[in-house]
Amino acid sequence: MGPMIFRRIVIGFITLWVVSVIVFFGLSILPGDAAAIQLGQAATEESLAALRAQLGLDRPAYIRYFTWLGGMATGDMGISNAGGATIASLIDFRLIKTLELGGIVAVISVPLSIFLGLAAAMYPGTWLDRILTFGTMSLVAVPEFLIATFLVLIFAVKLQWMPSIAYMSGGESLWEWLHALAMPILTLVIVVSAQMIRMTRAGILNVMNSPYIEMAILKGVARKRIILRHALFNAIGPIINVIALNLAYLVSGVVIVETIFAYSGLAKLMIDGVQTRDFPLVQACAMIFCGTYVLLLLTADIGAILSNPRLRKPK
Amino acid sequence: MSDTSANTEETGAAEKEVDTIDKFAELPDAPPKKGIKLSWVGKVSVAIVAAWVVVAFIGPWIAPFHEAEFIVDDSYVPSGGCPEMLEELFDLDEWTPDAITQYCTESDTILFLGSDYLGRDTFSRIIWGARTTIGISFVATLFAYFVGITLGIGAAVSGGWIDMVLSRFNESILSLPSIMLGLIAVAALGSTIPILIITAALIYATSVFRIARALGQDIMVQDFVEAAHARGEGLWWIITREVLPNAAMPLLTDFGLRLVFVILFISSLSFLGLGVQPPMADWGSMVRENMQGLGYGSYASIWPAVAIGTLTISINLIVDDISAKSGGSLAKKMV
């Protein structure tokens, strides 16, 4: 099992490295470098050359790449093109806000999805199962912003229970904070849970097809007991896998949700960076998001390896 | 069943023949019947998707107005409103259903779904938007398939280090959130339609690659491929005559799913203001533009959202129906 996990971690690092190459060279090699963008129409040959030297753009690309990579690893992420603030200071509290949002969503959606997924798997073919299957299928098939739009229509416009913008001035009480965050949280919980419920259900039903469960059924054990005492423990591995995978899906959900509800987190910062073509900022944000994603996928795979003996030996 | 009853009206000999064929069809070893029978859900879904495809083709000719034409001066006019009403009543509160029936029943410029934030006709923009959204996504998916299948089957057939390098690289790209890759591409290259298509195509080519490679590897070890090798057939012959036809059905079902993902991807980028640029109508950007209107009781952002939902859910239901009938294809399992 050890070598297998080691192998997977090495692959994770290779992926991270490929990511860094894509992120850096994708945004650096193109015509129109940062200096030209920053100076815009007013650029002369001399001022361009001076700014390029100042930003270190006159050095060869591979040297800039390694400097950048070293900076990323040590937390020195460079300087934003717009405004000249250090990227670390821009990212700092926004990253915390995004993590808060993601954390709350995870705390709510993980138990909820496992419970509903179990319920659906426990009584397959019943109305509960059908409604859950059809409902989650529909939710998975539509974009996140569609769910958000309908939630705004229902809860912010029609019922007027919650604000449609997650505005926070700082210094709110816990209740006010939750109230302001209710819409983004609700949207993300729905998006992530739909996927997780489907996968939990599929995971449990998969275990239910194994011979030892058939044996339990033949002995006359009640279905509820079979699921809770026999199937669940063997499905824990796949379920850990599902949870990590879906927390990874949060990354793309967060991008949309922060934009809709004007929540000033990391994703909003990145979108603004894309709009103003602030490449150093986009690079730093992209690395954080992709790095988190890769790490979560790595956790998912290690969970799967630990739980399934058949995956421990490479073919 | 209707085929059989139609045939029974013919001569007795023909009737007997049909009967024998039918009997064979019931035997366990008979080859599976050609043609896919859909459940009623599937049929409704096919009708919805077909309707959108027709709209995408003939949209500009059936839409009452052009996508970029300003019809009225007011934003967020409710469904059924018309310029005549707006000349008399100036206030949002006065545009009641009664007022609409009073002023607009005989008007010839009725805004069926009201106006958007710039006073353009939402109905016409949805019709125009069908062409943009479906067109871009479809072309991108086709392109993704071309690239994915070529490289995937190529990797499976050639094996060795080519396969290793391609697969490793592919897995790396595949393990990134597609929206992030989209953002990087848009930041670097700007958001024109060709760039959107190529970006979406390359991102989703990775999952096609994985499926095509797995299918290719499965098929390459089958006896009939070995037989073809032994007959002395060339590699190209084996790929086109043995591998591709056998991979076609799972890949086709997967095409539907992939199309849904591409539609979601393109409209999400548009929604973020980084996809299709105004004044072109696109369902994703229409939702975004008119979100403010929700506060004024306007549904201008709900209709394009409904359009996306009906299309993507229907495609998904069709795929579900087909893969349920064919016993769950490989493509479905790998998503």
Side-chain angles (χ1 to χ4, degrees):
Chain A
M1 164 177 15
M4 195 62 194
I5 291 178
F6 178 73
R7 205 179 109 103
R8 185 60 192 81
I9 291 174
V10 169
I11 292 176
F13 272 101
I14 294 177
T15 311
L16 267 181
W17 172 72
V18 173
V19 172
S20 74
V21 169
I22 293 174
V23 166
F24 184 81
F25 288 100
L27 291 172
S28 302
I29 284 299
L30 294 147
D33 58 29
I37 293 168
Q38 204 166 333
L39 289 176
Q41 295 288 324
T44 61
E45 282 301 316
E46 292 82 41
S47 62
L48 266 181
L51 190 61
R52 281 201 183 113
Q54 191 195 326
L55 294 173
L57 292 175
D58 50 350
R59 288 172 300 163
Y62 69 94
I63 293 188
R64 277 187 286 137
Y65 169 71
F66 285 113
T67 321
W68 173 78
L69 196 63
M72 285 302 296
T74 51
D76 169 23
M77 292 175 244
I79 291 166
S80 161
N81 274 351
T86 60
I87 292 172
S89 73
L90 287 174
I91 285 178
D92 180 34
F93 74 99
R94 290 188 175 85
L95 177 62
I96 294 174
K97 284 187 116 175
T98 297
L99 288 177
E100 278 173 357
L101 183 63
I104 298 178
V105 171
V107 166
I108 299 174
S109 60
V110 168
L112 179 78
S113 317
I114 291 180
F115 175 74
L116 288 178
L118 267 180
M122 220 180 283
Y123 308 103
T126 58
W127 279 107
L128 173 81
D129 180 42
R130 281 187 201 179
I131 290 170
L132 278 176
T133 312
F134 182 79
T136 52
M137 196 281 293
S138 308
L139 289 175
V140 168
V142 298
E144 292 97 349
F145 66 78
L146 185 146
I147 298 169
T149 312
F150 275 95
L151 289 177
V152 168
L153 177 70
I154 296 168
F155 291 107
V157 177
K158 295 286 175 201
L159 299 171
Q160 307 211 327
W161 286 353
M162 300 162 192
S164 61
I165 281 182
Y167 174 75
M168 268 168 294
S169 51
E172 290 94 349
S173 67
L174 182 65
W175 171 245
E176 283 168 341
W177 186 74
L178 277 178
H179 189 242
L181 274 183
M183 295 292 289
I185 291 176
L186 188 59
T187 311
L188 281 177
V189 165
I190 291 179
V191 171
V192 176
S193 302
Q195 191 67 258
M196 231 188 298
I197 291 172
R198 280 174 78 77
M199 290 165 90
T200 309
R201 177 180 177 274
I204 300 263
L205 286 183
N206 201 15
V207 174
M208 292 297 282
N209 284 333
S210 35
Y212 77 97
I213 296 284
E214 198 180 349
M215 178 68 199
I217 296 173
L218 291 175
K219 278 200 309 193
V221 181
R223 191 168 175 88
K224 202 169 161 183
R225 194 183 154 84
I226 291 177
I227 295 218
L228 295 179
R229 294 295 296 273
H230 298 253
L232 186 58
F233 290 104
N234 283 299
I236 280 179
I239 288 176
I240 291 176
N241 190 23
V242 168
I243 292 171
L245 269 182
N246 283 282
L247 293 183
Y249 291 149
L250 255 179
V251 169
S252 28
V254 147
V255 174
I256 303 283
V257 165
E258 285 190 4
T259 313
I260 297 178
F261 298 107
Y263 182 78
S264 58
L266 193 63
K268 181 108 189 356
L269 185 72
M270 180 173 174
I271 302 284
D272 294 344
V274 172
Q275 267 155 355
T276 54
R277 295 172 78 92
D278 186 349
F279 291 167
L281 182 63
V282 175
Q283 285 170 335
C285 295
M287 272 316 283
I288 294 178
F289 276 120
C290 294
T292 318
Y293 196 83
V294 169
L295 271 180
L296 284 168
L297 290 188
L298 183 66
T299 319
D301 278 4
I302 291 179
I305 293 171
L306 286 179
S307 68
N308 189 347
R310 267 172 297 180
L311 288 177
R312 283 179 207 162
K313 288 221 177 68
K315 269 180 265 178
Chain B
M1 273 339 249
S2 59
D3 293 348
T4 337
S5 63
N7 278 321
T8 41
E9 286 160 21
E10 291 174 19
T11 55
E15 187 185 327
K16 245 182 192 170
E17 201 178 335
V18 170
D19 273 2
T20 14
I21 290 168
D22 264 14
K23 259 178 210 156
F24 274 114
E26 298 303 319
L27 291 174
D29 285 340
K33 285 178 193 169
K34 293 283 177 191
I36 299 148
K37 284 201 180 112
L38 293 166
S39 68
W40 66 268
V41 181
K43 281 176 188 155
V44 172
S45 309
V46 169
I48 294 173
V49 174
W52 278 126
V53 171
V54 170
V55 169
F57 270 106
I58 62 169
W61 292 281
I62 57 165
F65 308 102
H66 187 266
E67 58 180 338
E69 192 182 344
F70 302 108
I71 309 300
V72 290
D73 293 333
D74 300 84
S75 36
Y76 306 131
V77 173
S79 305
C82 59
E84 285 85 347
M85 177 183 80
L86 302 173
E87 277 168 25
E88 301 291 326
L89 309 170
F90 304 108
D91 206 40
L92 196 98
D93 302 332
E94 293 175 308
W95 300 335
T96 56
D98 286 344
I100 289 171
T101 29
Q102 186 189 337
Y103 289 97
C104 295
T105 30
E106 282 167 21
S107 167
D108 26 271
T109 38
I110 297 176
L111 309 173
F112 294 107
L113 298 177
S115 71
D116 74 349
Y117 78 120
L118 290 176
R120 295 171 296 194
D121 181 30
T122 307
F123 181 67
S124 305
R125 279 178 70 76
I126 287 184
I127 292 176
W128 280 82
R131 165 170 281 211
T132 324
T133 307
I134 300 175
I136 292 179
S137 311
F138 187 75
V139 174
T141 317
L142 273 186
F143 195 50
Y145 257 73
F146 179 73
V147 176
I149 290 182
T150 313
L151 293 180
I153 302 272
V157 171
S158 55
W161 67 269
I162 299 181
D163 181 35
M164 233 247 333
V165 171
L166 279 176
S167 306
R168 246 323 91 247
F169 184 73
N170 190 66
E171 289 296 316
S172 301
I173 305 278
L174 203 58
S175 64
L176 293 178
S178 48
I179 194 89
M180 280 295 142
L181 291 172
L183 289 179
I184 295 170
V186 168
L189 304 167
S191 48
T192 59
I193 289 182
I195 287 182
L196 282 179
I197 292 179
I198 293 171
T199 307
L202 292 183
I203 291 175
Y204 288 94
T206 53
S207 17
V208 179
F209 173 92
R210 195 165 73 145
I211 294 167
R213 177 172 167 270
L215 283 169
Q217 280 180 334
D218 270 5
I219 296 166
M220 282 308 278
V221 295
Q222 301 279 331
D223 291 344
F224 56 77
V225 174
E226 221 161 290
H229 264 302
R231 269 205 314 274
E233 303 288 0
L235 201 56
W236 180 248
W237 194 96
I238 292 176
I239 292 175
T240 50
R241 302 289 178 82
E242 306 282 16
V243 179
L244 282 179
N246 280 294
M249 194 55 200
L251 284 174
L252 265 182
T253 350
D254 177 72
F255 187 87
L257 284 177
R258 215 50 57 197
L259 182 62
V260 169
F261 286 128
V262 174
I263 294 175
L264 298 188
F265 173 76
I266 297 278
S267 27
S268 293
L269 272 187
S270 293
F271 179 84
L272 294 171
L274 303 169
V276 180
Q277 296 300 311
M280 267 191 102
D282 169 271
W283 291 344
S285 41
M286 286 177 71
V287 178
R288 151 82 155 223
E289 294 164 349
N290 299 311
M291 282 269 318
Q292 287 286 322
L294 281 176
Y296 306 109
S298 163
Y299 281 45
S301 72
I302 298 293
W303 302 123
V306 169
I308 299 174
T310 50
L311 179 66
T312 50
I313 293 178
S314 302
I315 297 177
N316 238 316
L317 286 171
I318 297 172
V319 173
D320 260 12
D321 226 28
I322 293 176
S323 32
K325 294 282 148 55
S326 59
S329 66
L330 176 67
K332 183 82 189 168
K333 274 180 236 157
M334 290 188 66
V335 168

